[in-house]
Structure formats: structure tokens, C-alpha cells
Amino acid sequence: MIVPSEAPVPPPHQDLPAACLEDYNEARDIVARSPRASAALLRLTLQKLLAELGEKGKNINDDIGSLVTKGLPIEVQQALDYCRVVGNNAVHPGEIEINDNPDIAHSLFEMINFIVEDRITRPKKVAGLYSILPEGALKAVEKRDSTE
């Protein structure tokens, strides 16, 4: 019998893409034993998430820069950079000692879920509501917004 580990961090957001779930859940499973390993897995989760958001998914910094040029809100940019820097320090030790401060690793879970909420859940909800508008109203909006 396998006993699930205690995960003092939030579960994955319901809209976290399937490509990211395994890494996120593995990070949850080990965060109490190894905050550093958990942060490294969340960095990988972030990289996969950026690919799911339409970016290349090869270089996190470049992908964030690309999203910024497309009008990314500052709060989301900061959340992305927080995950990037903390995750990087887990893989390449630097100024942040994650094992000395596990709260830093714990906060990554919140940041990933925040990014998913802003970039996936909210647009999906708005699109769903917008799609139920009457056809005449949709055509009027399209006419209003056309450049011709």
C-alpha cells in the first residue's frame, strides 16, 4: 500500500494543462523532503506551461519577453520571472538557498496556479460567456472593430 505524502502546497489548478500535471504533482509529492528538487520540477512545469501558452518552450526568459511584447500584465510577468529565477536557483545554486527557506518553494505552487488562472482560466471563461451573445450583437461588434 502506498501512503500519499503530505503536500503542504495547493493542488494543481483545474486548468493546468495535462502536459504540466505530472511534473507539478511530482513537485508536490517531494516538496517536504526536497524543496530544491521540487522547485526544479516547477521550473520544468513553467517551461512546459509557456509552450502551452503558444511560446517556443525552449528558453523561459525569451518566452516571457515574447509575452511581454504581446501585452502581458505586469503581475503575470512578475509571477513568471519569480518562478524562472527561483527555479533557476534550484538547478544552478546562486543567491537563493531554497533548502534553507522552503517557503520559497511553496510559493512557486501558488505562482504557477496564478499564471494558469490569468492566462488560461479567465480567457476561457470570458470566451465562453461571449460566445452565447446573440449573432446580431456579435456581428455588430465585429463591424465596430473592423479596420475597413
Side-chain angles (χ1 to χ4, degrees), residues 4-136:
S5 66
E6 293 182 26
V9 294
H13 193 287
Q14 66 184 12
D15 288 329
L16 183 68
C20 305
L21 271 175
E22 184 178 346
D23 296 320
Y24 186 98
N25 284 327
E26 185 177 348
R28 275 186 90 222
D29 188 46
I30 65 169
V31 69
R33 291 185 307 267
S34 177
R36 186 170 163 252
S38 180
L41 280 166
L42 289 174
R43 181 184 184 280
L44 179 59
T45 302
L46 177 65
Q47 191 164 1
K48 290 178 179 180
L49 179 58
L50 286 165
E52 292 290 321
L53 294 176
E55 298 304 319
K56 294 178 183 173
K58 300 290 181 201
N59 181 299
I60 294 173
N61 195 49
D62 291 348
D63 288 350
I64 295 170
S66 173
L67 289 170
V68 167
T69 65
K70 296 173 185 172
L72 186 71
I74 187 74
E75 303 85 22
V76 181
Q77 173 260 309
Q78 290 174 344
L80 287 164
D81 278 320
Y82 180 83
C83 293
R84 177 184 64 82
V85 170
V86 170
N88 244 11
N89 275 273
V91 179
H92 310 288
E95 298 171 15
I96 301 172
E97 288 301 324
I98 295 167
N99 280 334
D100 293 342
N101 188 354
D103 288 341
I104 294 171
H106 295 183
S107 65
L108 287 172
F109 294 91
E110 292 176 37
M111 290 292 104
I112 295 285
N113 284 337
F114 169 78
I115 294 161
V116 171
E117 178 70 26
D118 188 87
R119 299 283 87 197
I120 297 173
T121 304
R122 287 192 5 294
K124 187 167 77 172
K125 183 175 183 178
V126 171
L129 292 171
Y130 187 78
S131 72
I132 65 172
L133 290 175
E135 189 174 332

Side-chain angles (χ1 to χ4, degrees), residues 129-148:
L129 292 171
Y130 187 78
S131 72
I132 65 172
L133 290 175
E135 189 174 332
L138 293 172
K139 285 185 179 188
V141 169
E142 185 180 328
K143 181 180 178 185
R144 178 199 69 203
D145 294 346
S146 69
T147 56
E148 297 175 9

